[in-house]
């Protein structure tokens, strides 16, 4: 593993300031109480069945999430009969999924990025990650946009010229593929768990809580790797699930065309708005190295299984719903959804761009026409190094501490509103994203408070709201 270790030197007189003598520490610092343990075990056992329930509801109950419960309560059906009616694991689905994952591994590992050489403004190739709690700075091969472009070029070439497989192949094998994704999700999580004990990539960045279930779920290793470049966190966060996201939506669109002879404007909106989000992710993949997923989360079941199963199955519920319930929106409704999605994306991207610009220029830039204001911070890594950082308080970052999440939630609501108001199932996404991002705010601020100590209090005094100015 290629990495660098950096330490801040003492001043020329050999002294540091009083504030620097006892800097805060950071890293995963949650205590595992009994309530948390029950939640962890429940998720490990039942999360796959939550995913199954939503997909099954569409397969058997026209996307009604209440009807199965009513029938179970009244005795009209049983869990065994629901299970028996659901498609099971098939070797053809396993073959499809193995080819898919293998192809993404090949693109990730074997084709160095060249898109950064001819796409203006795109940052790809070898890039530095953020400093880990142990003081390491890992290097990454950023080629996600290239992987996405190659994959989708082949998809469209097949659909229009080669006809190797049907464009509806994903939808047609959706539940059998779900069992395959679960197998990979638990397998990679288990491998990462065992690897952390016996052959960790960097033992200094391992975090053991003493609770085996929490270790398995939240991960032990910070950046597990195989060889020099295969980084588990970057691959599973940014490959097969997110690359597949837009292909899954295209498969839904093809199925709607096959079933009804036309494609609704709601399906087009879902495809376009979510494609913008996916392409933004890959365009800014180098920036993504500085986000909470890479900078703070250890790699365990939470990321491994979540990226393999939860993301591709529950983030695409809108398109799945529209296959079973095609919705043609009025022009006014469609325009409102489009504007909500685009404004949300603008806030999301502009907020993140302001932070990235501020970091790259170390504050020597202009935000909203003015020199940015910020809070000076210091922190200590596990290797004893003293480091300095700046927390931006200008632009959108002066409006709320996580205003990028606010934009993300606006976009999430747009995906759901594109499906009309006939069913609650498409709105699972906005409910889930609200819970996820509020929880992420709490986790992020817990870590920042541990990392920056008193400096974090100065920052929260300067920017008092998390998501919504004047409210939260």
């Amino acid at each position: 593993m290629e990495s660098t270790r950096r330490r801040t030197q003492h001043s020329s007189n050999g002294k540091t300031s009083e504030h620097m003598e006892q800097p805060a520490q950071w890293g995963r610092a949650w205590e595992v109480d009994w309530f948390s343990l029950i939640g962890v075990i429940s998720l490990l056992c039942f999360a796959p069945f939550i995913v199954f329930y939503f997909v099954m509801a569409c397969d058997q109950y026209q996307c009604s999430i209440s009807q199965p419960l009513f029938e179970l309560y009244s005795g009209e059906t049983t869990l065994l009969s629901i299970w028996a009616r659901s498609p099971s694991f098939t070797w053809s689905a396993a073959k499809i999924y193995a080819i898919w994952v293998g192809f993404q591994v090949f693109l990730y590992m074997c084709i160095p990025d060249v898109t950064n050489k001819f796409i203006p403004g795109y940052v790809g190739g070898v890039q530095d990650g953020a400093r880990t709690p142990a003081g390491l700075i890992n290097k990454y091969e950023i080629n996600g946009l290239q992987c996405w472009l190659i994959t989708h070029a082949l998809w469209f070439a097949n659909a229009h010229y080669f006809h190797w497989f049907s464009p509806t192949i994903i939808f047609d094998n959706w539940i059998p593929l779900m069992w395959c994704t679960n197998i990979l999700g638990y397998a990679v999580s288990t491998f990462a768990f065992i690897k952390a004990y016996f052959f960790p990539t960097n033992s200094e960045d391992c975090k053991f809580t003493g609770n085996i279930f929490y270790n398995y779920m939240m991960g032990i290793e910070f950046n597990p790797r195989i060889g020099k470049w295969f980084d588990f966190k970057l691959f599973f966060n940014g490959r097969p699930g997110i690359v597949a996201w837009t292909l899954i939506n295209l498969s839904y669109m093809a199925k709607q065309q096959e079933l009804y002879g036309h494609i609704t404007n709601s399906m087009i909106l879902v495809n376009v708005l979510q494609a913008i989000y996916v392409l933004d992710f890959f365009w800014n993949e180098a920036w993504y190295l500085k986000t909470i997923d890479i900078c703070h989360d250890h790699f365990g079941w939470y990321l491994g299984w979540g990226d393999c199963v939860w993301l591709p199955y529950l983030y695409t519920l809108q398109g799945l719903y529209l296959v079973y319930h095609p919705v043609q929106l009025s022009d006014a409704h469609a325009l409102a959804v489009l504007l909500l999605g685009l404004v949300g994306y603008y806030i999301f991207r502009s907020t993140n761009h302001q932070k990235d610009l501020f970091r790259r220029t170390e504050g020597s830039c202009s935000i909203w026409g003015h020199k940015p204001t910020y809070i000076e911070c210091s922190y200590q890594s596990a290797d004893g190094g003293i480091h300095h950082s700046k927390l931006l308080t200008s632009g959108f970052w002066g409006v709320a501490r996580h205003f990028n999440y606010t934009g993300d939630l606006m976009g999430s609501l747009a995906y759901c509103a594109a499906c009309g108001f006939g069913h609650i199932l498409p709105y699972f996404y906005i409910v889930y994203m609200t819970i996820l991002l509020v929880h992420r705010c709490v986790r992020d601020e817990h870590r920042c408070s541990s990392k920056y100590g008193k400096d974090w209090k100065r920052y929260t005094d300067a920017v008092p709201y998390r998501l919504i100015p004047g409210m939260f």
Side-chain angles (χ1 to χ4, degrees):
M1 178 185 69
E2 184 175 349
S3 59
T4 60
R5 188 185 298 269
R6 301 178 183 174
R7 298 187 61 167
T8 300
Q9 302 297 319
H10 291 283
S11 60
S12 58
N13 61 7
K15 297 179 181 179
T16 57
S17 67
E18 181 179 352
H19 173 74
M20 300 293 286
E21 290 176 1
Q22 293 182 335
Q25 299 282 345
W26 97 98
R28 195 181 72 205
W30 293 104
E31 297 295 330
V32 187
D33 53 29
W34 281 103
F35 180 78
S36 299
L37 180 59
I38 292 170
V40 166
I41 295 174
S42 298
L43 279 174
L44 290 174
C45 294
F46 297 113
F49 296 101
I50 295 173
V51 177
F52 170 75
Y53 184 84
F54 280 98
V55 178
M56 175 278 301
C58 281
D59 183 58
Q60 298 183 28
Y61 293 91
Q62 287 293 300
C63 295
S64 171
I65 58 176
S66 59
Q67 190 62 30
L69 297 176
F70 287 135
E71 290 192 6
L72 285 168
Y73 179 76
S74 64
E76 295 178 43
T77 191
T78 65
L79 291 174
L80 288 177
S81 64
I82 290 175
W83 184 266
R85 292 196 300 268
S86 298
S88 60
F89 171 89
T90 65
W91 286 108
S92 60
K95 179 181 176 182
I96 292 168
Y97 193 62
I99 292 172
W100 167 251
V101 175
F103 182 58
Q104 292 306 312
V105 171
F106 170 75
L107 292 180
Y108 175 66
M109 292 292 296
C110 301
I111 305 184
D113 184 71
V114 296
T115 54
N116 68 93
K117 300 182 185 303
F118 59 84
I119 300 182
Y122 172 66
V123 178
V126 178
Q127 299 291 328
D128 286 346
R131 181 180 289 106
T132 72
L136 298 173
I137 297 179
N138 295 310
K139 291 190 178 294
Y140 296 83
E141 174 68 45
I142 300 299
N143 63 358
L145 180 63
Q146 178 174 274
C147 295
W148 189 91
L149 289 171
I150 292 172
T151 300
H152 284 70
L154 289 174
W155 175 273
F156 283 106
N158 168 76
H160 294 285
Y161 300 105
F162 300 123
H163 306 295
W164 293 324
F165 53 83
S166 169
T168 65
I169 188 172
I170 300 175
F171 177 88
D172 295 338
N173 293 275
W174 198 221
I175 294 182
L177 282 170
M178 182 176 64
W179 308 127
C180 300
T181 61
N182 271 281
I183 291 170
L184 178 62
Y186 276 92
V188 73
S189 303
T190 303
F191 177 79
F193 179 75
I194 295 171
K195 179 180 180 298
Y197 280 95
F198 296 102
F199 48 101
T201 304
N202 187 319
S203 59
E204 294 180 37
D205 268 324
C206 290
K207 179 73 174 181
F208 296 89
T209 64
N211 187 290
I212 190 172
F213 296 105
Y214 190 84
N215 287 345
Y216 182 81
M217 178 176 175
M218 297 307 296
I220 299 170
E221 276 202 83
F222 197 74
N223 290 110
R225 290 187 165 200
I226 294 179
K228 182 179 179 180
W229 293 111
F230 189 85
D231 184 271
F232 279 63
K233 212 188 283 187
L234 183 61
F235 178 78
F236 286 99
N237 267 315
R239 302 301 186 275
I242 294 187
V243 174
W245 189 341
T246 38
L247 292 184
I248 293 166
N249 283 339
L250 288 172
S251 185
Y252 292 154
M253 183 184 287
K255 193 66 179 182
Q256 193 182 72
Q257 173 71 41
E258 179 185 286
L259 291 174
Y260 309 108
H262 68 280
I263 298 170
T264 62
N265 59 2
S266 55
M267 179 68 85
I268 293 172
L269 275 171
V270 168
N271 270 262
V272 169
L273 290 175
Q274 293 189 348
I276 290 172
Y277 181 87
V278 171
L279 278 170
D280 177 86
F281 173 87
F282 287 120
W283 182 269
N284 295 285
E285 190 175 18
W287 162 85
Y288 181 70
L289 298 178
K290 306 296 194 298
T291 62
I292 188 171
D293 289 347
I294 300 295
C295 293
H296 294 293
D297 287 341
H298 291 239
F299 186 85
W301 178 89
Y302 176 78
L303 290 180
W305 180 87
D307 290 325
C308 288
V309 185
W310 190 270
L311 187 156
Y313 275 83
L314 295 189
Y315 286 21
T316 61
L317 281 177
Q318 292 78 35
L320 181 65
Y321 170 82
L322 291 172
V323 173
Y324 291 92
H325 294 277
V327 175
Q328 184 67 25
L329 303 173
S330 67
D331 291 345
H333 188 160
L335 180 61
V337 168
L338 180 62
L339 288 176
L340 177 63
L342 293 179
V343 170
Y345 172 73
Y346 171 78
I347 293 173
F348 171 77
R349 174 47 40 218
S350 297
T351 306
N352 288 327
H353 172 71
Q354 287 176 0
K355 178 188 279 189
D356 183 59
L357 176 65
F358 179 76
R359 282 174 170 170
R360 285 189 288 105
T361 63
E362 296 186 350
S364 300
C365 60
S366 175
I367 294 178
W368 288 358
H370 301 283
K371 185 178 180 180
T373 58
Y374 53 86
I375 302 292
E376 289 272 8
C377 299
S378 60
Y379 62 94
Q380 181 178 23
S381 54
D383 64 353
I386 305 299
H387 310 282
H388 301 275
S389 186
K390 298 180 178 71
L391 297 177
L392 179 62
T393 59
S394 288
F396 283 121
W397 295 97
V399 176
R401 299 197 294 271
H402 304 275
F403 208 60
N404 54 332
Y405 292 171
T406 306
D408 204 355
L409 289 172
M410 292 172 66
S412 301
L413 180 59
Y415 308 158
C416 304
C419 298
F421 306 105
H423 279 258
I424 195 173
L425 180 137
Y427 288 84
F428 167 83
Y429 187 70
I430 183 61
V431 173
Y432 167 73
M433 288 299 292
T434 301
I435 295 171
L436 173 71
L437 293 180
V438 169
H439 179 246
R440 185 169 283 191
C441 283
V442 175
R443 285 197 301 136
D444 191 25
E445 297 202 354
H446 175 83
R447 289 184 175 111
C448 288
S449 179
S450 298
K451 180 177 181 177
Y452 296 120
K454 293 179 181 178
D455 291 335
W456 181 250
K457 178 64 169 59
R458 292 169 51 219
Y459 174 66
T460 57
D461 288 342
V463 187
Y465 295 102
R466 289 188 173 106
L467 287 172
I468 304 173
M471 293 181 61
F472 176 74

